[in-house]
Amino acid sequence: MTSFPAHARRVRDETLDPRRRRVSLRNCLHDFAPYGFPATWHHLATAHRIPRRIEADPSSLDRALDELETARALVLPRAVAFAAQRRRQKREGRRRVPATSHPWDSWGCHAIAYCPDPDKHPVEPLPVVVGRVLDAGAEEIDPAGRCLVCGDEDRRPLRACRICGVLPGGRANPL
């Protein structure tokens, strides 16, 4: 199994066929897809105008990857810090899983702003949305009270936000 950085290098490798580069971008989403795979791909494809015939605009892949890497860079330091904290807790004999999982750590930093409908997702760039979810998690804001992404307070229980399409708590832990 290869990593996000390895796939990202292939996306940027202009000696490769553009179709293989597009596949590598899609493979990056297996490691980091803030909205879940289908919605994140839809966001990147529409925001960066990735054409069906990728030969028409191969540079769209680079633009999409830049946005994805910027969002991922926001999550990585927190994930590393959380892993270090868990290692310390385990050394101290506290091996129980934390009662509440951090939104940014759901599914291994995947689907932190999960959108069950691939066509309905936030319109802002991924780094903005990911930053909001991370900040809300740091402030311990209850996702049951309001949407962590758009701030909508008229939330429907166990349903995706009617404004931005994000499901609170992600697919693993709906609230």
Side-chain angles (χ1 to χ4, degrees):
M1 176 181 273
T2 57
S3 64
F4 183 97
H7 290 300
R9 278 191 300 277
R10 287 189 202 109
V11 173
R12 296 205 190 286
D13 186 353
E14 295 180 3
T15 63
L16 293 177
D17 181 90
R19 292 171 294 193
R20 290 193 62 192
R21 292 176 59 205
R22 180 180 53 210
V23 168
S24 291
L25 178 61
R26 290 178 63 92
N27 287 338
C28 285
L29 299 184
H30 290 291
D31 294 312
F32 182 72
Y35 304 153
F37 184 91
T40 304
W41 177 253
H42 185 266
H43 168 80
L44 293 173
T46 56
H48 300 287
R49 299 175 308 282
I50 299 174
R52 288 194 187 273
R53 292 184 44 86
I54 194 62
E55 297 82 6
D57 185 14
S59 65
S60 62
L61 299 173
D62 293 323
R63 293 190 306 267
L65 180 61
D66 287 342
E67 181 179 356
L68 191 63
E69 284 179 323
T70 303
R72 184 173 178 263
L74 296 173
V75 174
L76 288 179
R78 295 182 193 221
V80 169
F82 180 72
Q85 175 190 4
R86 289 295 296 146
R87 280 193 298 277
R88 277 193 309 278
Q89 289 172 342
K90 288 178 181 181
R91 274 195 309 268
E92 294 167 359
R94 294 185 286 159
R95 294 191 168 270
R96 296 177 66 195
V97 176
T100 59
S101 65
H102 300 281
W104 50 264
D105 194 40
S106 66
W107 290 80
C109 303
H110 192 74
I112 63 175
Y114 179 64
C115 300
D117 181 357
D119 295 328
K120 184 167 176 107
H121 47 76
V123 294
E124 294 96 351
L126 289 174
V128 171
V129 173
V130 168
R132 285 183 190 153
V133 172
L134 294 175
D135 291 344
E139 295 172 17
E140 297 182 9
I141 294 174
D142 182 14
R146 71 177 177 96
C147 179
L148 300 178
V149 176
C150 69
D152 180 29
E153 293 184 5
D154 187 22
R155 299 254 329 111
R156 301 170 298 171
L158 301 174
R159 291 188 154 167
C161 178
R162 60 188 169 82
I163 296 172
C164 67
V166 173
L167 182 66
R171 64 178 167 205
N173 188 23
L175 298 175

